[in-house]
mmCIF file of all heavy atoms in Angstrom:
data_model
loop_
_atom_site.group_PDB
_atom_site.id
_atom_site.type_symbol
_atom_site.label_atom_id
_atom_site.label_comp_id
_atom_site.label_asym_id
_atom_site.label_seq_id
_atom_site.Cartn_x
_atom_site.Cartn_y
_atom_site.Cartn_z
ATOM 1 N N TRP A 380 31.744 32.552 35.459
ATOM 2 C CA TRP A 380 31.165 33.909 35.705
ATOM 3 C C TRP A 380 29.708 33.870 35.634
ATOM 4 O O TRP A 380 28.929 34.400 36.454
ATOM 5 C CB TRP A 380 31.797 34.900 34.708
ATOM 6 C CG TRP A 380 31.267 36.320 34.781
ATOM 7 C CD1 TRP A 380 30.856 36.957 35.908
ATOM 8 C CD2 TRP A 380 31.144 37.205 33.676
ATOM 9 N NE1 TRP A 380 30.489 38.275 35.542
ATOM 10 C CE2 TRP A 380 30.678 38.449 34.234
ATOM 11 C CE3 TRP A 380 31.423 37.139 32.290
ATOM 12 C CZ2 TRP A 380 30.424 39.516 33.454
ATOM 13 C CZ3 TRP A 380 31.227 38.223 31.519
ATOM 14 C CH2 TRP A 380 30.686 39.445 32.101
ATOM 15 N N MET A 381 29.181 33.199 34.580
ATOM 16 C CA MET A 381 27.723 33.098 34.442
ATOM 17 C C MET A 381 27.083 32.216 35.526
ATOM 18 O O MET A 381 25.980 32.419 35.868
ATOM 19 C CB MET A 381 27.388 32.411 33.030
ATOM 20 C CG MET A 381 27.596 33.308 31.834
ATOM 21 S SD MET A 381 26.539 34.830 31.920
ATOM 22 C CE MET A 381 27.748 36.115 32.316
ATOM 23 N N MET A 382 27.892 31.315 36.078
ATOM 24 C CA MET A 382 27.412 30.524 37.165
ATOM 25 C C MET A 382 27.248 31.396 38.400
ATOM 26 O O MET A 382 26.253 31.161 39.115
ATOM 27 C CB MET A 382 28.371 29.375 37.440
ATOM 28 C CG MET A 382 27.799 28.353 38.394
ATOM 29 S SD MET A 382 28.562 26.730 38.197
ATOM 30 C CE MET A 382 30.162 27.030 38.881
ATOM 31 N N SER A 383 28.128 32.323 38.633
ATOM 32 C CA SER A 383 28.015 33.243 39.786
ATOM 33 C C SER A 383 26.810 34.159 39.595
ATOM 34 O O SER A 383 26.201 34.559 40.531
ATOM 35 C CB SER A 383 29.251 33.944 40.048
ATOM 36 O OG SER A 383 29.575 34.787 38.983
ATOM 37 N N VAL A 384 26.574 34.590 38.325
ATOM 38 C CA VAL A 384 25.506 35.480 38.076
ATOM 39 C C VAL A 384 24.135 34.795 37.991
ATOM 40 O O VAL A 384 23.104 35.259 38.566
ATOM 41 C CB VAL A 384 25.782 36.249 36.741
ATOM 42 C CG1 VAL A 384 24.578 37.075 36.310
ATOM 43 C CG2 VAL A 384 26.978 37.127 36.915
ATOM 44 N N ASN A 385 24.091 33.695 37.349
ATOM 45 C CA ASN A 385 22.843 33.093 36.969
ATOM 46 C C ASN A 385 22.583 31.729 37.537
ATOM 47 O O ASN A 385 21.662 31.061 37.098
ATOM 48 C CB ASN A 385 22.701 32.948 35.448
ATOM 49 C CG ASN A 385 22.495 34.310 34.769
ATOM 50 O OD1 ASN A 385 21.985 35.171 35.354
ATOM 51 N ND2 ASN A 385 22.905 34.388 33.577
ATOM 52 N N ASP A 386 23.447 31.307 38.431
ATOM 53 C CA ASP A 386 23.205 30.007 39.104
ATOM 54 C C ASP A 386 23.469 28.776 38.258
ATOM 55 O O ASP A 386 23.456 27.616 38.823
ATOM 56 C CB ASP A 386 21.750 29.820 39.634
ATOM 57 C CG ASP A 386 21.581 30.288 41.026
ATOM 58 O OD1 ASP A 386 22.767 30.609 41.636
ATOM 59 O OD2 ASP A 386 20.510 30.341 41.534
ATOM 60 N N ASP A 387 23.651 28.874 37.025
ATOM 61 C CA ASP A 387 23.985 27.624 36.240
ATOM 62 C C ASP A 387 25.168 27.858 35.344
ATOM 63 O O ASP A 387 25.319 28.962 34.799
ATOM 64 C CB ASP A 387 22.786 27.236 35.374
ATOM 65 C CG ASP A 387 21.733 26.509 36.145
ATOM 66 O OD1 ASP A 387 22.045 25.715 37.043
ATOM 67 O OD2 ASP A 387 20.519 26.701 35.837
ATOM 68 N N PHE A 388 25.997 26.873 35.209
ATOM 69 C CA PHE A 388 27.209 26.990 34.369
ATOM 70 C C PHE A 388 26.748 27.274 32.923
ATOM 71 O O PHE A 388 25.819 26.683 32.365
ATOM 72 C CB PHE A 388 27.943 25.638 34.390
ATOM 73 C CG PHE A 388 29.316 25.653 33.800
ATOM 74 C CD1 PHE A 388 30.347 26.434 34.389
ATOM 75 C CD2 PHE A 388 29.588 24.966 32.673
ATOM 76 C CE1 PHE A 388 31.596 26.446 33.849
ATOM 77 C CE2 PHE A 388 30.875 25.021 32.128
ATOM 78 C CZ PHE A 388 31.857 25.731 32.721
ATOM 79 N N LEU A 389 27.435 28.239 32.355
ATOM 80 C CA LEU A 389 27.213 28.658 30.928
ATOM 81 C C LEU A 389 25.773 29.102 30.656
ATOM 82 O O LEU A 389 25.281 28.924 29.595
ATOM 83 C CB LEU A 389 27.532 27.458 30.018
ATOM 84 C CG LEU A 389 29.013 27.127 29.828
ATOM 85 C CD1 LEU A 389 29.256 25.881 28.996
ATOM 86 C CD2 LEU A 389 29.717 28.310 29.189
ATOM 87 N N ALA A 390 25.158 29.692 31.682
ATOM 88 C CA ALA A 390 23.810 30.245 31.494
ATOM 89 C C ALA A 390 23.940 31.671 31.088
ATOM 90 O O ALA A 390 24.150 32.541 31.935
ATOM 91 C CB ALA A 390 22.999 30.087 32.766
ATOM 92 N N PHE A 391 23.798 31.953 29.814
ATOM 93 C CA PHE A 391 23.990 33.341 29.331
ATOM 94 C C PHE A 391 22.751 34.187 29.451
ATOM 95 O O PHE A 391 21.621 33.720 29.179
ATOM 96 C CB PHE A 391 24.385 33.329 27.837
ATOM 97 C CG PHE A 391 25.599 32.544 27.526
ATOM 98 C CD1 PHE A 391 25.659 31.727 26.379
ATOM 99 C CD2 PHE A 391 26.709 32.576 28.320
ATOM 100 C CE1 PHE A 391 26.784 31.047 26.041
ATOM 101 C CE2 PHE A 391 27.897 31.854 28.002
ATOM 102 C CZ PHE A 391 27.901 31.091 26.917
ATOM 103 N N ASN A 392 22.955 35.397 29.960
ATOM 104 C CA ASN A 392 21.812 36.356 29.895
ATOM 105 C C ASN A 392 21.544 36.681 28.380
ATOM 106 O O ASN A 392 22.449 36.871 27.643
ATOM 107 C CB ASN A 392 22.203 37.685 30.503
ATOM 108 C CG ASN A 392 22.381 37.585 32.052
ATOM 109 O OD1 ASN A 392 21.697 36.736 32.617
ATOM 110 N ND2 ASN A 392 23.223 38.336 32.578
ATOM 111 N N PRO A 393 20.304 36.682 28.000
ATOM 112 C CA PRO A 393 19.987 37.033 26.607
ATOM 113 C C PRO A 393 20.606 38.288 26.079
ATOM 114 O O PRO A 393 21.043 38.365 24.971
ATOM 115 C CB PRO A 393 18.457 37.086 26.583
ATOM 116 C CG PRO A 393 18.069 36.231 27.608
ATOM 117 C CD PRO A 393 19.021 36.348 28.781
ATOM 118 N N ALA A 394 20.790 39.250 26.998
ATOM 119 C CA ALA A 394 21.367 40.562 26.581
ATOM 120 C C ALA A 394 22.830 40.408 26.187
ATOM 121 O O ALA A 394 23.350 41.026 25.346
ATOM 122 C CB ALA A 394 21.132 41.567 27.601
#
Side-chain angles (χ1 to χ4, degrees):
Chain A
W380 179 31
M381 287 297 110
M382 191 158 68
S383 63
V384 169
N385 287 333
D386 266 354
D387 282 323
F388 191 67
L389 289 174
F391 302 139
N392 292 329

